[in-house]
Amino acid sequence: EERTVLAVVEDAHWLDPATADVVLFCARRLGADRVLLVFSAREGVTTSFRPNGVDELVLSGLDPEASRSLLAQRAGAALVPDVVERLVAATGGNPLALLELPAELSAGQLEGDSPLPEQLPLSSRVEQAFLDRSRVLSAPAQSVLLVAAADDTGDVVVVRAATRKLGIDDAAMEEAVASGLLGATAAAVRVRHPLVSSAVYQAATEQQRRDAHRALAVALSGVGDTDRATWHRAAAAERPDD
């Protein structure tokens, strides 16, 4: 009666069905009451939370200008423009990653004196946030995501050839595409979000990464791209190798 009440339900996708039914029943009947119910839920997670009849706002990444501003607040003047643009592109505007990535890089990398790694290092919090959706996929579909994350061509012929080299059939790629984590056309294939690519690659074991690079080397040799094939063979090596 005296003041508005705000109730926030975080991670609503993890609610059990009975609890989800109760809070949504309440939310749909609060029209005249001074109570505001706000739910946060992650897309792409199998869940019993179905907020039909509740106003919905889909959050996307920050735009480039806001991303640069957040990076500047976090890292100060240490970041050079080229590094800023790489981080903005690699995070897709994800605020958590923009806040935590600078702490994972060296001073030389932040100042542009040392090159940034191909796969940006993610904190455990960021990695886990982007791994949740991939972990519900079958092992073959997760391997498809790893090959696509390690690939730098975006060529569907190369990725398919590499996954077949690993003994993975096309159904696994279809599963990865259906999950929304992998985008594929007749000619191109890409992990949909750059942070998913980094998270999948970093979470893989050393052996899994070597296997993916070795398979990509074979696939690239098959299409005559010997330079890239050599780089992938090097990434698959366990020790100095002529």
Side-chain angles (χ1 to χ4, degrees):
E1 292 296 328
E2 296 180 4
R3 66 181 66 179
T4 302
V5 174
L6 169 65
V8 180
V9 182
E10 295 250 40
D11 293 323
H13 49 278
W14 297 132
L15 292 175
D16 62 272
T19 303
D21 288 345
V22 168
V23 292
L24 287 171
F25 179 90
C26 294
R28 296 184 184 108
R29 287 160 177 79
L30 285 173
D33 300 286
R34 299 180 64 190
V35 179
L36 181 65
L37 258 174
V38 178
F39 305 95
S40 70
R42 190 173 299 160
E43 288 185 305
V45 178
T46 302
T47 175
S48 59
F49 184 70
R50 299 283 186 272
N52 301 325
V54 176
D55 291 342
E56 185 176 352
L57 174 65
V58 178
L59 299 179
S60 59
L62 300 178
D63 61 41
E65 183 177 351
S67 296
R68 295 185 196 103
S69 176
L70 188 59
L71 275 172
Q73 292 176 36
R74 181 65 165 180
L79 292 173
V80 297
D82 286 348
V83 173
V84 170
E85 295 310 311
R86 171 77 190 279
L87 294 180
V88 169
T91 59
N94 180 272
L96 177 61
L98 287 165
L99 288 171
E100 298 211 351
L101 255 178
E104 303 296 318
L105 300 173
S106 69
Q109 289 171 328
L110 292 174
E111 295 165 3
D113 297 328
S114 301
L116 294 175
E118 285 298 319
Q119 296 284 352
L120 291 175
L122 303 182
S123 69
S124 58
R125 290 178 66 207
V126 177
E127 182 180 287
Q128 192 58 50
F130 282 87
L131 279 178
D132 284 346
R133 287 175 64 185
S134 69
R135 289 306 194 208
V136 302
L137 300 178
S138 66
Q142 290 186 52
S143 295
V144 170
L145 284 176
L146 175 59
V147 170
D151 171 62
D152 60 345
T153 67
D155 188 332
V156 70
V157 172
V158 170
V159 173
R160 282 191 184 278
T163 55
R164 287 168 182 160
K165 178 69 178 174
L166 293 172
I168 301 169
D169 60 26
D170 290 346
M173 180 174 286
E174 292 170 5
E175 180 187 349
V177 171
S179 74
L181 295 174
L182 191 70
T185 66
V189 59
R190 289 278 186 196
V191 179
R192 285 196 179 274
H193 197 289
L195 289 179
V196 174
S197 179
S198 294
V200 166
Y201 189 84
Q202 290 185 50
T205 65
E206 287 290 336
Q207 187 60 54
Q208 288 171 330
R209 282 189 287 229
R210 283 195 293 269
D211 289 344
H213 283 295
R214 195 173 293 112
L216 284 165
V218 173
L220 287 161
S221 295
V223 296
D225 194 340
T226 55
D227 284 348
R228 278 197 174 93
T230 302
W231 280 107
H232 282 289
R233 281 200 299 275
E238 299 179 48
R239 59 185 62 86
D241 187 317
D242 290 340

